[in-house]
Amino acid sequence: MSFTTDATLFTFEGKLIKLTHDSTETKTKMNVNVYLPKQYETSSEKTIPVLLYLSGLTCTPNNASEKAFWQPFADQYGFAVVFPDTSPRGAAIEGEDESWDFGSGAGFYVDATVEKWAKNYRMYSYVHGELQEKLQIEFPKLDFSTISITGHSMGGYGALSGFFKNPNKYKSVSAFAPICNPIECQWGQKNFGGYLGEDKSAWAAYDPTELISKYEGSEIPEILIHTGTADPFYHRDAQLLPENLVAASKGTKFEGKVSSNLVEGYDHSYYFISSFVGQHAAYHAKYLGLSK
Amino acid sequence: MSFTTDATLFTFEGKLIKLTHDSTETKTKMNVNVYLPKQYETSSEKTIPVLLYLSGLTCTPNNASEKAFWQPFADQYGFAVVFPDTSPRGAAIEGEDESWDFGSGAGFYVDATVEKWAKNYRMYSYVHGELQEKLQIEFPKLDFSTISITGHSMGGYGALSGFFKNPNKYKSVSAFAPICNPIECQWGQKNFGGYLGEDKSAWAAYDPTELISKYEGSEIPEILIHTGTADPFYHRDAQLLPENLVAASKGTKFEGKVSSNLVEGYDHSYYFISSFVGQHAAYHAKYLGLSK
């Protein structure tokens, strides 16, 4: 058995499965939650599309499972939702638990090259590769060839970055308060510096604002982003910089296709995320070929 | 100012207001959250009906605010939701923080008579009286004369108990995994014994299964209850006993009107609650005179 089932929770009209498995990428035990919509039980093999949701700093798979409210929309449209963890945990690396925004809970969806982290902190290859391959085997009714991607904050960056780096893999990409230009903000500099070292060309290979002009895919979906004007990481700390991504889209295949919405008064929390999950679900459902 | 606003959170199409105030009933500072639906801003005085949601053991006002997902339904129908705390906190009573199911976080919605607790643990008078009166003044557009009540677990018991003890006050009552017959279960015996003493006639005055035959109101709504079959407090510990309430309804005004639904596979968590909030919202909206 590749996965161990820790819990099967009945929620809305489907089931949330809490799993653990030994990852070959991170060399640790990893947690992941999968929401199987009501359509799963009676479906045939490889018929249920997948939405990959990447969480933000400090989160486990449980935060979004309990507070983002994807379940009723997954049931409405008929897609599964995969909630990976945000980093390896318990890798026994000195200092990995010292900072809330680096190390445990903050894998930043890169493959680390700095020696200290390189063995375990391989979240890029884990979420876009190993995890999907193993879940396809575990849940044969899911169709990982019909997949879209979304995420929040660090996970919103991870979704955008992963979309641009994997041409034509993801049918659509959306993000809630994403870190759009990590090279230019403190979170990005701390994490890219820590995991990738001082060579900034390595950083650019993960930065959505750098990657958007280099995208080699033929499928060009609209990109849906919501950011709250009362989000302190937006208005106070300039960690998110959605304007930079929009500006960088000019002259690229995505010119006019980045739908970056500043929403008045919303903050950075799940109160914000859950408010717009319905819109993001409808957006992804369209690209996943699902009707109401 | 009766209330201090700690936070105003934009969520869904309304606002969640986090408040504190000095309670005359509990003689402590109390926390309460209020969700104002999208209709609030443009409404006239005393036009927005209210749903009172009583939480379960250990919860603060924040748990249900973040995880029960009343907000989209409150917006759909146009009612406000009030989330009180589950006990006084910081009353400086010896032992109040020692047990997870007695004292802090476990006020059991009674007015304590045992001397040690009697000064502060007056959650019955607080939630059904003082809190509503003060919120009516603070939010004049809310209409506390058009109010329904619901809750979870200890709060489901509190909703049923409060409904039966206040004839014609609440338009409707529903509950998620309520403790229906506290006299007959360990949670009820511990809390009633602790707050009300050994005289069991005092216990009966709060027990829904005892009260249902004594209800003096003329308005007899259906009573909506959901309980999960995988809820360990139901199937393992016999803390909930919904069958006793249904049996006690025979020969009363509520005969045939207790809709007690055992739902296969659901547990006691917010994953369960949020799955059925939509049904409960539609039920209460009907009695609150709200259409879609």
Side-chain angles (χ1 to χ4, degrees):
Chain A
M1 283 288 286
S2 188
F3 291 89
T4 301
T5 301
D6 294 332
T8 299
L9 296 165
F10 285 52
T11 180
F12 288 86
E13 297 179 80
K15 294 185 180 68
L16 184 79
I17 319 290
K18 296 189 177 187
L19 303 156
T20 56
H21 71 119
D22 293 313
S23 166
T24 51
E25 290 291 355
T26 71
K27 317 279 190 306
T28 62
K29 202 172 279 298
M30 292 294 288
N31 300 312
V32 58
N33 291 353
V34 178
Y35 182 69
L36 303 175
K38 65 178 180 184
Q39 292 85 354
Y40 187 79
E41 273 190 31
T42 54
S43 65
S44 311
E45 287 213 352
K46 287 201 92 173
T47 52
I48 303 285
V50 176
L51 180 65
L52 183 62
Y53 178 94
L54 302 183
S55 291
L57 290 166
T58 77
C59 288
T60 72
N62 293 336
N63 302 70
S65 299
E66 204 168 14
K67 297 194 274 193
F69 208 30
W70 284 104
Q71 292 95 313
F73 302 104
D75 288 336
Q76 179 183 346
Y77 298 108
F79 56 79
V81 189
V82 173
F83 303 93
D85 207 344
T86 50
S87 76
R89 296 181 192 266
I93 301 171
E94 189 191 341
E96 69 180 328
D97 296 327
E98 278 177 12
S99 177
W100 73 274
D101 59 1
F102 182 74
S104 290
F108 233 74
Y109 305 107
V110 299
D111 287 343
T113 52
V114 169
E115 191 182 349
K116 180 179 176 182
W117 306 96
K119 180 184 161 201
N120 305 107
Y121 277 67
R122 297 184 51 78
M123 289 300 290
Y124 177 82
S125 290
Y126 173 72
V127 300
H128 300 292
E130 180 192 2
L131 178 63
Q132 297 182 33
E133 291 155 18
K134 288 187 170 171
L135 286 174
Q136 180 66 80
I137 295 166
E138 186 79 8
F139 297 101
K141 293 179 180 180
L142 299 184
D143 175 11
F144 278 87
S145 67
T146 306
I147 184 168
S148 289
I149 190 165
T150 185
H152 171 234
S153 194
M154 174 184 75
Y157 138 76
L160 291 163
S161 178
F163 172 84
F164 291 129
K165 288 169 73 70
N166 291 276
N168 298 339
K169 176 178 175 69
Y170 296 105
K171 305 296 182 195
S172 49
V173 57
S174 79
F176 305 83
I179 303 167
C180 290
N181 194 183
I183 287 178
E184 298 296 336
C185 76
Q186 177 267 333
W187 275 337
Q189 290 158 2
K190 178 173 182 174
N191 280 275
F192 282 173
Y195 295 130
L196 304 175
E198 293 312 309
D199 174 8
K200 293 201 176 175
S201 66
W203 301 14
Y206 287 103
D207 187 309
T209 296
E210 295 288 328
L211 289 167
I212 193 166
S213 63
K214 301 179 180 68
Y215 179 75
E216 292 175 349
S218 54
E219 294 182 34
I220 314 293
E222 186 191 357
I223 295 173
L224 181 62
I225 295 172
H226 282 87
T227 306
T229 62
D231 182 335
F233 303 115
Y234 173 66
H235 69 78
R236 184 192 64 196
D237 300 340
Q239 299 273 23
L240 307 181
L241 304 170
E243 297 81 3
N244 292 13
L245 181 66
V246 173
S249 72
K250 302 275 160 60
T252 75
K253 295 171 180 172
F254 291 95
E255 180 165 348
K257 303 204 81 169
V258 182
S259 175
S260 178
N261 304 279
L262 281 182
V263 283
E264 185 67 29
Y266 290 85
D267 67 9
H268 199 72
S269 71
Y270 284 95
Y271 287 114
F272 152 68
I273 300 171
S274 58
S275 303
F276 295 95
V277 153
Q279 285 184 42
H280 285 238
Y283 155 82
H284 287 295
K286 186 179 68 175
Y287 287 99
L288 290 169
L290 300 166
S291 59
K292 280 188 193 183
Chain B
M1 283 289 284
S2 187
F3 291 89
T4 302
T5 302
D6 294 333
T8 298
L9 297 165
F10 286 51
T11 179
F12 289 86
E13 296 179 83
K15 294 185 180 66
L16 184 80
I17 319 290
K18 296 190 177 188
L19 303 157
T20 56
H21 70 120
D22 292 314
S23 166
T24 52
E25 291 290 355
T26 70
K27 317 279 190 305
T28 61
K29 203 172 278 299
M30 292 293 290
N31 301 312
V32 58
N33 291 353
V34 178
Y35 181 70
L36 302 175
K38 65 178 180 184
Q39 292 84 354
Y40 187 79
E41 274 191 32
T42 55
S43 65
S44 311
E45 286 212 352
K46 287 202 90 171
T47 52
I48 303 285
V50 176
L51 180 65
L52 183 62
Y53 178 94
L54 302 182
S55 291
L57 290 166
T58 77
C59 287
T60 72
N62 293 337
N63 302 71
S65 300
E66 206 168 14
K67 298 194 274 194
F69 289 107
W70 286 103
Q71 293 97 312
F73 302 104
D75 287 336
Q76 180 183 347
Y77 297 108
F79 58 79
V81 189
V82 173
F83 302 94
D85 207 344
T86 50
S87 76
R89 296 182 191 267
I93 301 172
E94 189 191 341
E96 69 179 330
D97 297 327
E98 278 177 12
S99 176
W100 72 274
D101 59 2
F102 183 75
S104 290
F108 231 73
Y109 305 106
V110 298
D111 287 343
T113 52
V114 170
E115 191 182 350
K116 179 178 177 183
W117 305 96
K119 180 184 162 199
N120 305 107
Y121 277 66
R122 297 184 51 78
M123 289 300 289
Y124 177 81
S125 290
Y126 173 72
V127 300
H128 299 293
E130 180 192 3
L131 178 63
Q132 296 183 33
E133 292 155 18
K134 289 188 170 170
L135 286 174
Q136 180 66 81
I137 296 165
E138 185 79 8
F139 297 100
K141 293 180 179 179
L142 299 186
D143 176 10
F144 277 89
S145 67
T146 305
I147 184 168
S148 289
I149 190 166
T150 185
H152 171 234
S153 194
M154 174 184 75
Y157 137 76
L160 292 164
S161 177
F163 172 84
F164 290 129
K165 288 169 74 68
N166 292 277
N168 298 340
K169 176 178 174 69
Y170 296 105
K171 305 296 182 194
S172 48
V173 57
S174 78
F176 305 83
I179 303 167
C180 290
N181 194 182
I183 286 179
E184 298 295 337
C185 76
Q186 178 267 331
W187 274 337
Q189 291 157 2
K190 178 173 183 175
N191 281 274
F192 282 172
Y195 295 130
L196 304 175
E198 292 312 308
D199 175 7
K200 293 200 177 178
S201 66
W203 300 14
Y206 286 104
D207 187 309
T209 296
E210 295 288 327
L211 289 167
I212 193 166
S213 62
K214 301 179 179 66
Y215 179 74
E216 292 176 349
S218 55
E219 293 183 36
I220 315 294
E222 185 189 359
I223 295 173
L224 181 62
I225 295 172
H226 282 87
T227 306
T229 63
D231 182 335
F233 302 116
Y234 172 67
H235 70 77
R236 183 193 64 196
D237 301 341
Q239 301 272 23
L240 307 182
L241 304 170
E243 297 82 3
N244 293 11
L245 182 66
V246 173
S249 72
K250 301 274 161 61
T252 75
K253 295 170 180 172
F254 291 97
E255 179 164 347
K257 303 202 82 171
V258 182
S259 175
S260 178
N261 304 280
L262 281 182
V263 283
E264 185 67 30
Y266 291 85
D267 67 10
H268 198 73
S269 73
Y270 284 94
Y271 286 114
F272 152 68
I273 300 171
S274 58
S275 303
F276 295 96
V277 153
Q279 285 185 43
H280 286 238
Y283 155 83
H284 287 294
K286 186 178 68 175
Y287 287 99
L288 291 169
L290 301 166
S291 58
K292 280 189 193 183

